[in-house]
Amino acid sequence: MKRAVVLGGGGPVGIAWQAGLIVGLSNVGVDLSRADLVVGTSAGSVVGLLLSSGGDLSAAIRLLGDQGSPGQGSPDPEGVSQSFDEALLNAAGAAAVAEAAGDAEAACRARAALGRQALSAQTMKEAQWKSRFDLFSGTGWPNNFRCCAVDAEDGTFRVWGPGDSVPACEAVASSCAVPLLYPPVSLAGRRWIDGGVRDMLNADVAAGADVAVVVSCTLLELPWQLPVPYLEEMLSATRRRVEILGSGAEDLVTVVPSSRMLEVSEWGLALMDFARAGAAYDAGLEQAGIEADRLQAHWGS
């Protein structure tokens, strides 16, 4: 029986929440480290590498606060967040619409348009960004770990794995390279941006698993319509990819934020707020107790 864990994007708040959730589940006997495949996107790639390599997930909060970690050097939210949000929604949303229509080339063009903006954006130096992941520099590629990125130049989607002859720490850096906030990462002769530009979960990468746990840092369906361009199209695309995974699985369990996590993250609007990481970790620990029985019924101990 092949087991898979899919961990989604969600900034430092998502890193902390997912880490707390996994630690809390382990404390009550639900061990997600037994997965045969761990797929991480952006924040999920950080947590996924820790999970699959046997790293200390309980240290995630310290990692987010230590100099040299992925949590340091966050850009001024007042200066860039609005342009980032608009650009990401327009690019990822247009790509989702194109893919729904079966036009993969148009989807790549939409993502590449954002990649071009990222390549010319004024951010920290790439070397400085990569140094934030030095804490993983001695970590080899776990055989069961994959992480997702997007080519900044042509918009194609890439799944990094142990057969790619690239350092795991740099692959994770590319998966976390939020366009316009952080620099594209040079790897394998190309430049790469955050895998969340394609999808915040990329759950279809785990297709073929018999049992899957999908952890999303945001709701997959909103209880009301928000006046945000392309948001529903993006959520629909994510749900379709989860369905692709579920269509071949015997068991699929999806975990979305609890009401407490939604409050901490302001319904996903404050996922990049590093100051909320501690509260998000605690929310994950608390939610593990709520989710444990449901997950144990599918995943086992």
Side-chain angles (χ1 to χ4, degrees):
M1 179 179 292
K2 182 178 179 181
R3 301 171 186 265
V5 173
V6 175
L7 301 169
V13 174
I15 290 174
W17 174 68
Q18 290 179 106
L21 178 72
I22 293 170
V23 169
L25 288 171
S26 179
N27 289 343
V28 295
V30 182
D31 185 7
L32 295 185
S33 71
R34 295 172 56 210
D36 301 293
L37 175 64
V38 177
V39 177
T41 296
S42 198
S45 70
V46 174
V47 179
L49 183 55
L50 284 168
L51 176 65
S52 56
S53 64
D56 183 8
L57 280 160
S58 67
I61 299 305
R62 294 199 304 274
L63 296 179
L64 287 169
D66 288 344
Q67 182 64 37
S69 79
Q72 286 295 306
S74 57
D76 173 14
E78 295 298 324
V80 298
S81 62
Q82 184 174 356
S83 60
F84 152 69
D85 288 342
E86 182 179 353
L88 180 60
L89 286 167
N90 286 341
V97 170
E99 288 187 336
D103 193 341
E105 291 185 3
C108 286
R109 288 196 298 271
R111 292 190 289 264
L114 178 59
R116 287 193 295 273
Q117 293 181 61
L119 288 167
S120 62
Q122 296 299 309
T123 65
M124 69 175 69
K125 298 296 185 182
E126 182 182 347
Q128 183 184 359
W129 172 243
K130 284 184 175 181
S131 73
R132 306 292 153 84
F133 298 83
D134 284 350
L135 59 104
F136 296 126
S137 60
T139 304
W141 264 105
N143 288 332
N144 63 340
F145 176 60
R146 306 290 184 273
C147 66
C148 305
V150 167
D151 191 310
E153 297 172 20
D154 65 17
T156 55
F157 178 60
R158 179 69 180 256
V159 180
W160 298 112
D164 289 317
S165 300
V166 300
C169 59
E170 294 190 18
V172 169
S174 75
S175 185
C176 293
V178 181
L180 307 187
L181 299 187
Y182 299 117
V185 169
S186 303
L187 203 56
R190 306 288 292 179
R191 303 287 300 281
W192 304 93
I193 56 176
D194 195 311
V197 174
R198 190 236 187 189
D199 192 296
M200 292 297 284
L201 285 175
N202 294 303
D204 54 326
V205 173
D210 300 307
V211 177
V213 173
V214 175
V215 182
S216 174
C217 297
T218 60
L219 295 179
L220 299 181
E221 286 190 82
L222 296 177
W224 57 79
Q225 186 80 23
L226 288 178
V228 178
Y230 287 124
L231 181 58
E232 181 51 39
E233 288 84 354
M234 292 168 63
L235 291 174
S236 294
T238 297
R239 292 194 298 267
R240 284 195 300 272
R241 292 184 178 113
V242 173
E243 289 170 2
I244 289 171
L245 170 57
S247 65
E250 298 173 11
D251 278 308
L252 171 67
V253 185
T254 302
V255 179
V256 297
S258 63
S259 57
R260 181 178 177 186
M261 173 55 178
L262 290 172
E263 181 179 351
V264 170
S265 69
E266 293 188 10
W267 287 76
L269 298 177
L271 288 169
M272 295 301 295
D273 186 345
F274 292 84
R276 298 171 186 256
Y281 184 86
D282 290 342
L285 285 174
E286 177 186 273
Q287 189 169 349
I290 299 170
E291 302 283 358
D293 289 345
R294 182 169 72 101
L295 283 168
Q296 194 162 42
H298 297 271
W299 187 265
S301 301

